[in-house]
Amino acid sequence: MKKTFLITCLLICTLCSFSRHIKGGFFNYKYLGPGISNPSYLNYKVTLTVYMDCNANGNQIDPSVNFTFFDGTSSSIIINMTVQQTSSYLLQKLYDDPCISGDQAICYYRIVTYELANIELPVSANGYTISYQRCCRIENMDNIANSGTTGNTYTIKIPGTASTVPNANKNSSPEFPVNDTVVICENNFFRYPFSATDPDKDSLSYSFCNSLSGGSATDPAPRIADAPPYYPVPYFSSYSGSFPLGSAVTINPVTGLITGTAPPIINTGEYAVTVCVSEYRKGIYIGETRKELHIRVRDCSATRAFLNPIPTSCNGFNVNFTNAAINPSGTDYLWNFGEAFSGINNTSASATPSHIYGDTGVYLLKLRVSIGGLCADSTTTRVKVYPGFFPGFKSNAPLCKGFPVQFTDTTKAKFGNATNWQWNFGDISSTADTSVKKNPTYAYPDSGTYTVQLIVGSTFGCIDTVQRTVTIRNSPIITVIPHDTLICFIDTLQIKTSGTGTFLWSPNYNINNVTSSSPLVSPDIPTTYFLTFTDPTGCVGRDSVFVNVVTSVNINAGNDTTICKTDGMVLGTTSNALHYLWTPATYLNSDTVRQPFANPLAPSITYHVTGNVGKCSSSDDITIRTLPYPPAKAGNDTTVCYGRSVQLTATGGISYQWSPSSFLNAVNIANPVAVNPTTTTQYIVAVTDITGCPKPAFDTVIVNVDPLVVANAGPSDTTSVLGEPLLLTGTGGIAYEWTPSTWLSNPAIANAVALPEDNITYFLKVTSEAGCQATDSIRVKLYKVPPSFYVPTGFSPNNDQNNDVLKPILLGMRTLNYFRVYNRWGKLLFYTSTKGQGWDGTFNGNPQDPGTYVWMAEGATFQGKVIKRRGYVLLLR
């Protein structure tokens, strides 16, 4: 096992060293003209350029590779070509760049090319896709997860005649120069040319695209490439094919120049970058060429001048400047602020200068950096100075929940005018709390304090932000008592409210004061009074009260009725009254509700109810009689033996209904029989009578079923020898009786001892605790031989159910200490101390050869005498 593990580790390590070295590559093809051997074919030259780790050697540099050609549409394989290596060289710098810190005189890549000098392909409408796959990439790359086991796919497509471009199949792809020795310093501005040239003078467009995976650590150099489509490598979440160096790096679609601020070094500083070059002829797309590189970001800094666009200075004439590129120590700076004729100091040698401009306007700012006059770099940008820009806004009152708040822009500008606004009203519960209007409104759904932000811009490019908080109050809560009510047409009602502020009631109908907080109303028809309440802050709350008016009260307590005693009932009174009073209150859960619950215990009772609405009232009566439930009896609980029947007895009525029906011979009689129940069952009987309550009464009886008694007198057949006691072992109950009692020590115990003098059969009757009984028997065969082991002299384990197992026959033996079987060399093949077990002629599952084997046995008689025996047995097959 250890040797296998070592070989596996060595194999994995060999594959790792064999595969982790690929750092980029690209295909290109060139149309050479009609085929040589077949002029109806098209002749191409196809070249693969592979970028490798500088230390790649041995098996990592393939002497030949396979180009797999697929149909351009169906992706079916056309041909798989073996292509020889044509060159291998190092791409390196011989001298350090004095304008960049650190060492640059290093090797960047090993370049290996494979050239298919010519291949003749038939004219195809779909064209051809050429692919090559190889694993693996460098470990611990900073933009690809698990890069050490992620492979590469390099592919290109030759267009077919189906292209809308005439003679597109006679095209030659763009060509990339191999000059990739640009030094990129982390967190520094950089430029990286990724441009190509086109032999056919076609237009080229550049974009970042996905690096493609292919191959594996277990098959690093597949003989035949997988068919398209191909899948992107597993980028880390902050990177992608469109942003391989992060969002701060972009590519110019016209020139192919990659610029931006380099990402940091996370692990190795290796980043996979793939550029797709789209080829157009007279504005029509022809095809795409891909170049992938593993670009290494280094721990260095370069002398660069780089100025981010400077926003318009709107707060004053003083402007601060800084170089956006990080430069080495010792860098010299020369700033020109673009104000040469102002008569003031127009230049500065500071790394972070500030300058006070003498007037408004647009100035050309220049920056030149160098190190002792060498490594000079310069750049320019425009500075706009238009001070006197003061953003602001105000909001109206009241600021109440649910009411639109008016926001008004108060921005002032000395130069130009405010032209655009971006409002954020600070309501995190909504995504619609923004506006681009000058003076918008917004209604807050909840009270609280909100931070309102306004970003405002001017015609001179000034942009500034102002924030203020607004406090939104709840709409005032007004309490009206009662809310909805009922009055008699001759009554007057006072409405009560709470709160400090002004009140206004409507309509002005039979109300004594429409501005009172507690007016008196006396409508003679149903009326809803509406209240508008304004608190001292100006927030408005609204409420209403509905006053229903009746001219009389109607009440109906219901019909007289009879119920079963203890049942109770809800008195279903119908009425338009507002208040109620019941007499007597006896047996009622409430005497002031419209529909109380009554549970009278007396044989008869009459309830009187009065209902009123103010001065309007009415009364009614209801009488309730009660009848007792039948005196249901299901009988006493009982116990029955398993498989025995029992009769149930119910009393108390004239009709009966039993449930469940399990084991019952009838369910609708008073005295059904539970026939041979096998499980304990609870029976419920419903008893009905015609002299009292018409509803049934219920009672329960439990029939307990004693478990099945299983008598066991021991094995059905046993043997004994003359003069040796035989222990009988009875089980299954609490009382035992052996018959006949001949030769028994005690026939009334479970474990009677027998001294048989001849063959005999004993019968055992056992009784359970509940008195249930069962019987069993045992037949004793007597041998008039001494107690011992009796083992056959031969056996044939051939599964014919006859003499298949070698086992000792115990006559007069109480115990078997062991039974062992050995081969002729003394090897133990079988062991047991259990009576009835034997050897099946196998060892460890393997059948043993025919021949003679030795057995040994030891045991004790019923008198305690130890007997040992040995002998021979012949195994036959």
Side-chain angles (χ1 to χ4, degrees):
M1 183 63 187
K2 293 182 179 178
K3 186 180 296 183
T4 302
F5 176 74
L6 178 60
I7 292 173
T8 303
C9 291
L10 290 174
L11 177 60
I12 292 174
C13 292
T14 301
L15 288 174
C16 294
S17 62
F18 178 73
S19 48
R20 294 171 183 161
H21 64 288
I22 301 296
K23 300 188 71 171
F26 61 90
F27 267 112
N28 69 287
Y29 65 88
K30 184 176 182 179
Y31 174 63
L32 302 178
I36 299 173
S37 60
N38 188 341
S40 65
Y41 280 30
L42 303 179
N43 194 14
Y44 298 94
K45 173 184 177 182
V46 182
T47 304
L48 170 66
T49 303
V50 180
Y51 290 71
M52 298 184 183
D53 185 84
C54 289
N55 297 320
N57 56 64
N59 290 332
Q60 293 180 326
I61 305 177
D62 300 318
S64 64
V65 297
N66 290 329
F67 294 177
T68 306
F69 290 73
F70 301 94
D71 180 87
T73 299
S74 68
S75 298
S76 59
I77 294 180
I78 303 298
I79 190 172
N80 193 52
M81 300 288 295
T82 299
V83 182
Q84 301 299 319
Q85 180 190 133
T86 55
S87 66
S88 175
Y89 60 92
L90 298 178
L91 184 63
Q92 54 190 339
K93 280 189 175 184
L94 300 178
Y95 305 100
D96 284 340
D97 189 334
C99 302
I100 301 177
S101 65
D103 298 326
Q104 296 86 48
I106 60 173
C107 178
Y108 288 80
Y109 304 98
R110 174 174 289 278
I111 308 298
V112 182
T113 58
Y114 302 87
E115 184 177 288
L116 184 58
N118 62 81
I119 180 171
E120 299 181 14
L121 297 172
V123 176
S124 168
N126 300 332
Y128 301 91
T129 298
I130 312 170
S131 299
Y132 162 71
Q133 293 180 319
R134 189 65 160 87
C135 191
C136 296
R137 301 171 184 271
I138 305 303
E139 289 185 306
N140 300 317
M141 294 183 65
D142 287 355
N143 65 344
I144 297 179
N146 302 316
S147 59
T149 57
T150 300
N152 310 260
T153 295
Y154 305 123
T155 184
I156 197 169
K157 183 175 180 180
I158 301 175
T161 57
S163 171
T164 56
V165 176
N167 295 319
N169 56 346
K170 299 178 181 180
N171 179 62
S172 294
S173 68
E175 299 175 351
F176 289 103
V178 181
N179 58 352
D180 304 282
T181 58
V182 176
V183 180
I184 300 178
C185 301
E186 68 171 331
N187 298 317
N188 272 246
F189 178 80
F190 74 97
R191 298 181 180 92
Y192 198 118
F194 230 92
S195 57
T197 58
D198 190 82
D200 303 318
K201 308 302 180 183
D202 294 324
S203 299
L204 302 180
S205 176
Y206 302 85
S207 64
F208 287 133
C209 55
N210 286 321
S211 298
L212 303 178
S213 61
S216 65
T218 56
D219 186 15
R223 190 177 66 85
I224 299 176
D226 292 334
Y230 301 114
Y231 299 97
V233 296
Y235 290 100
F236 286 116
S237 59
S238 55
Y239 300 96
S240 65
S242 300
F243 295 98
L245 296 168
S247 58
V249 179
T250 58
I251 185 170
N252 188 307
V254 177
T255 65
L257 183 64
I258 300 175
T259 59
T261 301
I265 298 173
I266 302 172
N267 296 310
T268 59
E270 296 267 354
Y271 289 83
V273 177
T274 298
V275 172
C276 287
V277 182
S278 297
E279 188 178 356
Y280 295 87
R281 186 172 299 167
K282 295 182 180 180
I284 303 175
Y285 175 80
I286 299 177
E288 179 182 88
T289 302
R290 307 167 58 89
K291 178 181 178 181
E292 178 187 323
L293 270 186
H294 288 188
I295 295 177
R296 183 176 181 184
V297 178
R298 307 194 64 204
D299 182 11
C300 58
S301 57
T303 307
R304 293 281 168 81
F306 180 64
L307 296 174
N308 286 316
I310 300 173
T312 303
S313 177
C314 300
N315 297 325
F317 291 95
N318 188 26
V319 184
N320 298 317
F321 302 101
T322 184
N323 184 14
I326 301 175
N327 283 341
S329 60
T331 300
D332 299 323
Y333 295 87
L334 179 59
W335 298 84
N336 186 309
F337 303 117
E339 205 176 16
F341 304 105
S342 64
I344 60 177
N345 189 4
N346 186 46
T347 62
S348 174
S350 171
T352 56
S354 62
H355 180 71
I356 301 175
Y357 285 90
D359 198 357
T360 59
V362 179
Y363 300 89
L364 182 65
L365 174 70
K366 299 179 181 179
L367 169 62
R368 182 179 185 273
V369 295
S370 65
I371 299 178
L374 301 175
C375 308
D377 191 25
S378 61
T379 187
T380 62
T381 190
R382 294 188 179 276
V383 180
K384 299 178 182 179
V385 181
Y386 292 103
F389 185 68
F390 307 101
F393 67 88
K394 65 180 181 178
S395 57
N396 69 322
L399 305 180
C400 304
K401 179 180 75 174
F403 285 81
V405 178
Q406 177 69 60
F407 292 95
T408 304
D409 173 41
T410 60
T411 300
K412 299 184 184 304
K414 185 176 180 180
F415 301 95
N417 301 300
T419 56
N420 53 77
W421 301 264
Q422 295 182 30
W423 295 85
N424 187 318
F425 302 116
D427 182 5
I428 62 175
S429 67
S430 173
T431 59
D433 65 330
T434 59
S435 177
V436 293
K437 294 182 179 180
K438 180 178 181 181
N439 300 313
T441 61
Y442 186 74
Y444 289 90
D446 291 300
S447 60
T449 299
Y450 299 86
T451 300
V452 181
Q453 174 182 278
L454 169 62
I455 302 174
V456 59
S458 74
T459 52
F460 278 82
C462 292
I463 299 176
D464 206 350
T465 301
V466 61
Q467 289 184 345
R468 290 195 177 92
T469 59
V470 295
T471 300
I472 304 300
R473 293 182 293 274
N474 276 311
S475 297
I477 298 175
I478 182 69
T479 303
V480 177
I481 302 174
H483 192 265
D484 291 330
T485 189
L486 186 66
I487 67 171
C488 185
F489 73 102
I490 58 176
D491 290 338
T492 297
L493 173 69
Q494 185 174 37
I495 304 175
K496 298 180 180 180
T497 62
S498 63
T500 301
T502 61
F503 299 83
L504 180 61
W505 294 89
S506 66
N508 187 2
Y509 172 71
N510 288 352
I511 183 170
N512 70 327
N513 188 345
V514 295
T515 60
S516 171
S517 62
S518 302
L520 298 173
V521 296
S522 54
D524 49 15
I525 59 173
T527 304
T528 300
Y529 291 95
F530 297 93
L531 170 63
T532 300
F533 171 72
T534 305
D535 71 7
T537 66
C539 291
V540 177
R542 293 180 173 85
D543 204 351
S544 65
V545 57
F546 173 67
V547 181
N548 195 8
V549 179
V550 298
T551 58
S552 63
V553 172
N554 302 314
I555 190 167
N556 183 352
N559 298 324
D560 297 343
T561 187
T562 298
I563 64 173
C564 293
K565 191 174 182 180
T566 71
D567 273 5
M569 64 175 290
V570 175
L571 303 183
T573 308
T574 57
S575 175
N576 64 345
L578 192 59
H579 304 286
Y580 300 88
L581 181 63
W582 292 84
T583 57
T586 309
Y587 309 124
L588 296 180
N589 67 333
S590 173
D591 62 350
T592 58
V593 297
R594 179 166 61 90
Q595 294 183 336
F597 181 81
N599 190 8
L601 301 179
S604 179
I605 189 170
T606 298
Y607 291 106
H608 178 79
V609 60
T610 299
N612 74 288
V613 176
K615 298 175 182 177
C616 300
S617 66
S618 183
S619 301
D620 197 15
D621 295 328
I622 182 173
T623 298
I624 302 175
R625 291 183 296 274
T626 63
L627 294 174
Y629 274 95
K633 294 292 182 181
N636 298 325
D637 295 344
T638 187
T639 300
V640 63
C641 295
Y642 184 92
R644 302 285 182 88
S645 300
V646 64
Q647 186 173 52
L648 306 181
T649 302
T651 60
I654 63 170
S655 63
Y656 302 87
Q657 187 69 35
W658 294 85
S659 65
S661 61
S662 305
F663 310 113
L664 297 182
N665 67 337
V667 295
N668 56 356
I669 62 176
N671 304 314
V673 176
V675 181
N676 302 330
T678 58
T679 59
T680 296
T681 306
Q682 176 179 279
Y683 292 102
I684 301 172
V685 62
V687 180
T688 306
D689 200 358
I690 60 173
T691 60
C693 172
K695 294 169 62 177
F698 299 89
D699 197 20
T700 301
V701 63
I702 299 176
V703 176
N704 297 289
V705 178
D706 197 60
L708 177 67
V709 178
V710 179
N712 187 356
S716 58
D717 293 326
T718 189
T719 60
S720 183
V721 296
L722 187 65
E724 283 291 328
L726 174 65
L727 179 65
L728 303 179
T729 55
T731 60
I734 62 170
Y736 301 86
E737 181 183 358
W738 294 90
T739 57
S741 60
T742 308
W743 302 314
L744 293 180
S745 61
N746 186 348
I749 62 175
N751 300 322
V753 177
L755 279 171
E757 298 176 5
D758 203 349
N759 297 339
I760 190 171
T761 298
Y762 289 107
F763 297 91
L764 173 65
K765 180 169 68 176
V766 301
T767 305
S768 70
E769 187 174 1
C772 301
Q773 295 180 335
T775 61
D776 194 18
S777 64
I778 180 172
R779 185 169 57 245
V780 180
K781 184 174 182 180
L782 185 70
Y783 290 91
K784 296 181 180 181
V785 294
S788 186
F789 305 100
Y790 296 89
V791 180
T793 58
F795 76 112
S796 57
N798 55 8
N799 296 320
D800 64 353
Q801 308 301 317
N802 184 26
N803 203 23
D804 286 332
V805 178
L806 176 68
K807 58 184 176 180
I809 300 172
L810 278 64
L811 294 180
M813 302 298 295
R814 180 173 58 86
T815 62
L816 173 65
N817 296 340
Y818 62 79
F819 176 69
R820 302 171 182 163
V821 180
Y822 299 86
N823 62 16
R824 56 184 171 178
W825 295 281
K827 183 175 181 61
L828 179 64
L829 303 180
F830 176 75
Y831 170 86
T832 185
S833 60
T834 303
K835 294 180 180 180
Q837 286 188 355
W839 184 43
D840 62 357
T842 66
F843 179 69
N844 288 337
N846 298 315
Q848 299 301 292
D849 295 332
T852 302
Y853 294 84
V854 178
W855 62 265
M856 299 180 65
E858 178 184 293
T861 68
F862 285 94
Q863 294 179 347
K865 181 181 178 181
V866 176
I867 297 178
K868 296 183 179 180
R869 286 198 60 195
R870 61 178 294 173
Y872 299 93
V873 64
L874 183 63
L875 189 154
L876 303 174
R877 294 228 182 246

mmCIF file of all heavy atoms in Angstrom, residues 25 117 185 207 271 416 453 490 537 630 642 647 734 739 786 867:
data_model
loop_
_atom_site.group_PDB
_atom_site.id
_atom_site.type_symbol
_atom_site.label_atom_id
_atom_site.label_comp_id
_atom_site.label_asym_id
_atom_site.label_seq_id
_atom_site.Cartn_x
_atom_site.Cartn_y
_atom_site.Cartn_z
ATOM 1 N N GLY A 25 -0.570 32.360 -25.826
ATOM 2 C CA GLY A 25 -0.373 31.902 -27.188
ATOM 3 C C GLY A 25 -1.434 32.412 -28.125
ATOM 4 O O GLY A 25 -2.431 33.022 -27.706
ATOM 5 N N ALA A 117 3.383 24.415 -42.700
ATOM 6 C CA ALA A 117 3.796 25.244 -43.827
ATOM 7 C C ALA A 117 2.706 25.345 -44.891
ATOM 8 O O ALA A 117 2.528 26.405 -45.499
ATOM 9 C CB ALA A 117 5.086 24.692 -44.440
ATOM 10 N N CYS A 185 4.180 47.995 -13.377
ATOM 11 C CA CYS A 185 4.395 48.141 -11.938
ATOM 12 C C CYS A 185 3.045 48.231 -11.230
ATOM 13 O O CYS A 185 2.147 48.951 -11.683
ATOM 14 C CB CYS A 185 5.219 49.393 -11.638
ATOM 15 S SG CYS A 185 6.844 49.383 -12.439
ATOM 16 N N SER A 207 -10.843 44.195 -28.320
ATOM 17 C CA SER A 207 -11.628 44.133 -27.081
ATOM 18 C C SER A 207 -11.058 43.030 -26.198
ATOM 19 O O SER A 207 -10.451 42.065 -26.683
ATOM 20 C CB SER A 207 -13.114 43.845 -27.377
ATOM 21 O OG SER A 207 -13.255 42.567 -27.974
ATOM 22 N N TYR A 271 -1.392 37.630 -14.301
ATOM 23 C CA TYR A 271 -2.771 37.869 -14.735
ATOM 24 C C TYR A 271 -2.926 37.385 -16.173
ATOM 25 O O TYR A 271 -2.107 37.698 -17.037
ATOM 26 C CB TYR A 271 -3.121 39.360 -14.677
ATOM 27 C CG TYR A 271 -3.257 39.910 -13.273
ATOM 28 C CD1 TYR A 271 -2.144 40.302 -12.547
ATOM 29 C CD2 TYR A 271 -4.506 40.038 -12.684
ATOM 30 C CE1 TYR A 271 -2.269 40.810 -11.259
ATOM 31 C CE2 TYR A 271 -4.646 40.549 -11.403
ATOM 32 C CZ TYR A 271 -3.522 40.925 -10.691
ATOM 33 O OH TYR A 271 -3.659 41.423 -9.423
ATOM 34 N N GLY A 416 -22.481 81.560 -14.886
ATOM 35 C CA GLY A 416 -23.381 80.566 -15.439
ATOM 36 C C GLY A 416 -24.589 80.329 -14.556
ATOM 37 O O GLY A 416 -24.867 81.080 -13.600
ATOM 38 N N GLN A 453 -30.119 64.652 -0.180
ATOM 39 C CA GLN A 453 -28.896 65.046 -0.887
ATOM 40 C C GLN A 453 -29.251 65.628 -2.241
ATOM 41 O O GLN A 453 -30.073 65.075 -2.970
ATOM 42 C CB GLN A 453 -27.972 63.846 -1.060
ATOM 43 C CG GLN A 453 -26.738 64.138 -1.910
ATOM 44 C CD GLN A 453 -25.887 62.915 -2.101
ATOM 45 O OE1 GLN A 453 -25.083 62.568 -1.244
ATOM 46 N NE2 GLN A 453 -26.059 62.219 -3.224
ATOM 47 N N ILE A 490 -85.203 60.650 19.437
ATOM 48 C CA ILE A 490 -85.514 61.743 20.368
ATOM 49 C C ILE A 490 -84.324 62.056 21.273
ATOM 50 O O ILE A 490 -84.433 62.886 22.175
ATOM 51 C CB ILE A 490 -86.748 61.378 21.223
ATOM 52 C CG1 ILE A 490 -86.504 60.085 21.993
ATOM 53 C CG2 ILE A 490 -87.986 61.280 20.349
ATOM 54 C CD1 ILE A 490 -87.656 59.717 22.933
ATOM 55 N N THR A 537 -48.510 72.279 14.403
ATOM 56 C CA THR A 537 -47.435 72.297 13.402
ATOM 57 C C THR A 537 -47.974 72.366 11.984
ATOM 58 O O THR A 537 -47.200 72.483 11.034
ATOM 59 C CB THR A 537 -46.567 71.042 13.538
ATOM 60 O OG1 THR A 537 -47.343 69.894 13.197
ATOM 61 C CG2 THR A 537 -46.045 70.892 14.959
ATOM 62 N N PRO A 630 -80.104 9.550 29.004
ATOM 63 C CA PRO A 630 -80.324 8.157 29.443
ATOM 64 C C PRO A 630 -79.158 7.703 30.333
ATOM 65 O O PRO A 630 -78.004 8.110 30.121
ATOM 66 C CB PRO A 630 -80.343 7.365 28.142
ATOM 67 C CG PRO A 630 -80.614 8.363 27.067
ATOM 68 C CD PRO A 630 -80.033 9.654 27.525
ATOM 69 N N TYR A 642 -56.498 -14.928 24.737
ATOM 70 C CA TYR A 642 -56.315 -14.758 23.298
ATOM 71 C C TYR A 642 -57.070 -15.865 22.550
ATOM 72 O O TYR A 642 -56.916 -17.053 22.835
ATOM 73 C CB TYR A 642 -54.827 -14.818 22.955
ATOM 74 C CG TYR A 642 -54.511 -14.569 21.509
ATOM 75 C CD1 TYR A 642 -54.224 -13.291 21.058
ATOM 76 C CD2 TYR A 642 -54.484 -15.623 20.599
ATOM 77 C CE1 TYR A 642 -53.929 -13.054 19.723
ATOM 78 C CE2 TYR A 642 -54.205 -15.402 19.261
ATOM 79 C CZ TYR A 642 -53.921 -14.110 18.823
ATOM 80 O OH TYR A 642 -53.626 -13.879 17.511
ATOM 81 N N GLN A 647 -68.967 -11.937 25.982
ATOM 82 C CA GLN A 647 -70.213 -11.211 25.700
ATOM 83 C C GLN A 647 -70.201 -9.891 26.462
ATOM 84 O O GLN A 647 -69.832 -9.821 27.632
ATOM 85 C CB GLN A 647 -71.423 -12.044 26.105
ATOM 86 C CG GLN A 647 -72.750 -11.400 25.693
ATOM 87 C CD GLN A 647 -73.934 -12.312 25.950
ATOM 88 O OE1 GLN A 647 -74.093 -12.813 27.061
ATOM 89 N NE2 GLN A 647 -74.757 -12.523 24.918
ATOM 90 N N ILE A 734 -46.819 -19.299 33.987
ATOM 91 C CA ILE A 734 -46.388 -19.212 35.393
ATOM 92 C C ILE A 734 -46.673 -20.522 36.132
ATOM 93 O O ILE A 734 -46.197 -20.718 37.251
ATOM 94 C CB ILE A 734 -47.087 -18.044 36.106
ATOM 95 C CG1 ILE A 734 -48.607 -18.258 36.130
ATOM 96 C CG2 ILE A 734 -46.732 -16.722 35.443
ATOM 97 C CD1 ILE A 734 -49.318 -17.266 37.033
ATOM 98 N N THR A 739 -47.267 -34.467 31.885
ATOM 99 C CA THR A 739 -47.937 -35.784 31.909
ATOM 100 C C THR A 739 -47.342 -36.639 30.809
ATOM 101 O O THR A 739 -47.025 -36.102 29.726
ATOM 102 C CB THR A 739 -49.446 -35.637 31.708
ATOM 103 O OG1 THR A 739 -49.706 -34.955 30.469
ATOM 104 C CG2 THR A 739 -50.097 -34.889 32.844
ATOM 105 N N PRO A 786 -23.464 -45.929 26.851
ATOM 106 C CA PRO A 786 -22.929 -44.949 27.804
ATOM 107 C C PRO A 786 -22.986 -43.545 27.209
ATOM 108 O O PRO A 786 -22.926 -43.369 25.991
ATOM 109 C CB PRO A 786 -21.497 -45.427 28.039
ATOM 110 C CG PRO A 786 -21.156 -46.221 26.831
ATOM 111 C CD PRO A 786 -22.428 -46.880 26.385
ATOM 112 N N ILE A 867 -15.986 -35.871 29.482
ATOM 113 C CA ILE A 867 -15.621 -36.893 28.513
ATOM 114 C C ILE A 867 -14.904 -36.223 27.349
ATOM 115 O O ILE A 867 -15.369 -35.220 26.807
ATOM 116 C CB ILE A 867 -16.861 -37.663 28.022
ATOM 117 C CG1 ILE A 867 -17.513 -38.421 29.186
ATOM 118 C CG2 ILE A 867 -16.496 -38.606 26.885
ATOM 119 C CD1 ILE A 867 -18.757 -39.168 28.792
#
